[in-house]
Amino acid sequence: MGSFDARGKSPLFTLIIYGVLVMSLMGIFIPFIYVISSSFATEQEFLSRGFFIFPREWTIEAYGYLLSNENFTTAFGNSVQITVTGTAINIILTSLMAYGLSKSWLQGHRYLNFMVLFTMIFSGGMIPTYLVIKELGLINSYWALYLNMAIAPFNLIVMRSFFQNIPSELEEAARIDGCSEVRLFLRIVIPLSMPAIATFTLFYAVFNWNQYFYAILFLNNSSDWPLQVYLRQMLIETTSGMEADAGGFHYTPAVKMAAVIITAVPLLIVYPFLQKYFNKGMLLGSVKG
């Protein structure tokens, strides 16, 4: 039997736990450092050294080369447009519907809640979804992306639970003072719900920024493709032996790593500003089912 410390834990067990955590951290940290450092390396160093953690010669040529690629900058702008517009539509529609479904006095709210839950279990499928979008005339339009996933059922249910936690006495007092439902929602409910709204804004922003499957399904024009589809094309062209795109841009390993870094940076910048709301929003929205 091994000895135990004052808290009743074995030092050997604690050592094993720390060892597993350190190895897990290294498994995440080393590839992350490799991607960043190799984006500043020269093509000659990739050919001569193969794998390395830190390059001997640092250069920003890959970033300048990539940012001069009109196809990449267009795809980046498309992703920004899809993320900003799509997230705004997502959060507005989700919050409005969740607030309505959180009211037990709303006629038919049980039926509507069931329909929301039903869509979490069963989906229409790819072909019916495509046919509906085609009949609506939304092919080659960003509205096919905005409206197709305008409301995520899981996000709606959690946000509805958050609204249900708001004291009804507060809303009744506002109504007695002559506050309309719209003003009550905008002036009282929304400020109190900022943790939930910020949390699901982040969820929707990540989803929209990573738009890939629906983009290649509904968008046929390459000039409308978001950044994730552009990265796919870069991968296809390099793995098929073509090291340059139609514009003649050469995809060196450093350029590919730089593309990964630039793609990840926007979300890494936004996340710290919303992190303080993240845990609070998820916990408060999970109190009631």
Side-chain angles (χ1 to χ4, degrees):
M1 297 293 292
S3 59
F4 294 87
D5 58 16
R7 294 173 295 178
K9 296 182 180 180
S10 170
L12 178 60
F13 178 76
T14 303
L15 182 63
I16 293 175
I17 293 298
Y18 278 109
V20 172
L21 292 176
V22 170
M23 288 188 293
S24 301
L25 178 62
M26 296 300 292
I28 298 173
F29 188 70
I30 292 178
F32 183 71
I33 293 298
Y34 171 73
V35 171
I36 294 177
S37 61
S38 59
S39 67
F40 293 96
T42 61
E43 185 177 7
Q44 292 74 17
E45 188 159 10
F46 277 99
L47 296 176
S48 61
R49 296 183 63 188
F51 178 81
F52 55 87
I53 298 298
F54 298 105
R56 296 192 182 99
E57 180 181 353
W58 294 77
T59 178
I60 60 172
E61 290 181 357
Y63 290 93
Y65 186 78
L66 188 63
L67 294 176
S68 65
N69 186 341
E70 184 179 355
N71 294 332
F72 179 83
T73 55
T74 299
F76 188 91
N78 293 339
S79 288
V80 172
Q81 178 182 346
I82 291 172
T83 301
V84 172
T85 307
T87 302
I89 294 174
N90 293 146
I91 203 66
I92 290 173
L93 295 182
T94 301
S95 58
L96 287 174
M97 187 172 181
Y99 179 70
L101 294 181
S102 67
K103 305 306 173 186
S104 58
W105 47 261
L106 180 68
Q107 293 185 0
H109 79 281
R110 291 183 179 274
Y111 173 76
L112 293 174
N113 279 314
F114 171 77
M115 293 302 295
V116 171
L117 182 62
F118 185 85
T119 60
M120 293 183 61
I121 304 173
F122 302 99
S123 64
M126 181 181 66
I127 295 178
T129 300
Y130 180 84
L131 293 177
V132 170
I133 296 296
K134 182 179 179 181
E135 289 300 319
L136 292 175
L138 298 179
I139 298 296
N140 292 326
S141 171
Y142 286 151
W143 284 104
L145 306 180
Y146 300 151
L147 299 180
N148 184 51
M149 290 294 293
I151 299 176
F154 173 79
N155 297 347
L156 174 67
I157 291 174
V158 177
M159 188 173 287
R160 180 202 65 189
S161 299
F162 187 94
F163 288 144
Q164 289 174 341
N165 290 327
I166 297 177
S168 58
E169 294 81 6
L170 183 62
E171 298 181 12
E172 291 298 331
R175 292 189 183 98
I176 292 174
D177 289 338
C179 186
S180 64
E181 290 295 330
V182 174
R183 188 176 181 183
L184 185 151
F185 179 74
L186 296 177
R187 296 293 182 88
I188 297 177
V189 176
I190 292 298
L192 292 175
S193 306
M194 285 308 298
I197 292 175
T199 299
F200 292 111
T201 296
L202 180 62
F203 282 0
Y204 279 126
V206 171
F207 172 79
N208 287 305
W209 182 259
N210 292 327
Q211 278 280 10
Y212 166 73
F213 178 75
Y214 290 120
I216 62 175
L217 185 64
F218 300 132
L219 302 177
N220 298 323
N221 298 327
S222 59
S223 60
D224 296 330
W225 286 346
L227 196 54
Q228 305 301 332
V229 180
Y230 175 84
L231 295 179
R232 168 183 173 269
Q233 290 302 110
M234 180 188 295
L235 179 63
I236 291 176
E237 289 167 358
T238 54
T239 55
S240 62
M242 300 171 57
E243 292 296 328
D245 65 3
F249 282 89
H250 188 58
Y251 295 134
T252 64
V255 171
K256 290 185 241 180
M257 298 300 180
V260 173
I261 296 299
I262 294 176
T263 303
V265 161
L267 293 180
L268 294 178
I269 294 176
V270 172
Y271 180 76
F273 295 98
L274 300 178
Q275 184 180 12
K276 63 180 180 179
Y277 298 108
F278 188 81
N279 292 333
K280 184 178 180 182
M282 289 302 295
L283 290 176
L284 290 178
S286 302
V287 173
K288 288 187 179 181

